[in-house]
Amino acid sequence: AKHGAQFWTECHDSRVRGIEQADSALINGSKWFSTMFNASFFFFRERKHVVESLNSTGVYLSNEHTDAGRVVDFKDYQLGLGRPFRSLKVFCVLRSFGVDGLRATIRRHILLAKYLANRLSASGVFEVVRHVDFGLVCFRAKHKTSGDHNNNNNNNNNNNNNN
């Protein structure tokens, strides 16, 4: 779910092919959804399965309203140590940017990642070690060959002799 925001863009539909068959999906909204931190989206087909597996209700917390299904206990929809859903924060971002604005942000970040990858590759100093699919660029410094090392030593010796 690291790149879950991709679900909102049409340009990467092939990456999530078959998602309609999933029983649930958890998306970290902290990055591309502009919620900055501590927000996730949990989509699921059947509430009862989620509540049964994540329920943290002790006997002392049971009540007739929850048992009868008249209220929703949101504590049963997340792992206690996970990122809780922050609805007001998400509501404000959606009102400010709109879905199209969020899609544009995601597309721009992908383009910026590809731009960075191209610049790093062209520098001769770095190599991009994986194709850039999303907003993540994996790179490392190129290893110097023995010829590069000798050339650097020769340049240093020439500089020292000129002093």
Side-chain angles (χ1 to χ4, degrees):
K2 181 178 180 182
H3 299 292
Q6 290 302 134
F7 289 176
W8 281 32
T9 64
E10 302 91 19
C11 58
H12 292 312
D13 282 344
S14 65
R15 294 270 175 199
V16 294
R17 188 175 300 129
I19 190 67
E20 68 279 356
Q21 297 174 19
D23 289 325
S24 63
L26 181 65
I27 299 172
N28 178 354
S30 300
K31 311 299 184 272
W32 277 338
F33 283 106
S34 300
T35 55
M36 300 310 144
F37 66 93
N38 208 12
S40 59
F41 305 90
F42 192 13
F43 301 98
F44 48 87
R45 287 189 195 281
E46 294 192 43
R47 181 172 112 175
K48 70 177 187 168
H49 297 306
V50 174
V51 172
E52 286 172 3
S53 55
L54 299 178
N55 186 318
S56 61
T57 304
V59 175
Y60 57 92
L61 291 176
S62 359
N63 64 74
E64 64 186 75
H65 304 291
T66 300
D67 294 340
R70 291 191 295 262
V71 296
V72 175
D73 283 334
F74 288 109
K75 69 176 175 38
D76 295 330
Y77 290 81
Q78 65 184 357
L79 294 173
L81 298 176
R83 290 186 172 97
F85 181 80
R86 303 287 190 217
S87 58
L88 181 59
K89 188 178 355 181
V90 173
F91 174 79
C92 291
V93 167
L94 285 171
R95 291 289 299 213
S96 297
F97 291 95
V99 173
D100 290 337
L102 289 174
R103 285 178 176 158
T105 298
I106 293 167
R107 286 190 190 102
R108 174 137 172 83
H109 287 180
I110 293 169
L111 288 174
L112 287 171
K114 290 179 179 183
Y115 172 78
L116 175 62
N118 289 335
R119 294 294 304 259
L120 290 169
S121 295
S123 74
V125 178
F126 300 102
E127 64 179 321
V128 177
V129 296
R130 188 180 185 299
H131 175 73
V132 177
D133 291 321
F134 301 108
L136 180 66
V137 181
C138 300
F139 65 95
R140 64 181 170 206
K142 284 188 174 180
H143 296 290
K144 290 185 177 184
T145 63
S146 59
D148 290 340
H149 182 68
N150 290 337
N151 287 339
N152 286 339
N153 284 341
N154 289 338
N155 287 338
N156 288 338
N157 289 337
N158 290 337
N159 288 338
N160 289 339
N161 291 338
N162 291 335
N163 290 335

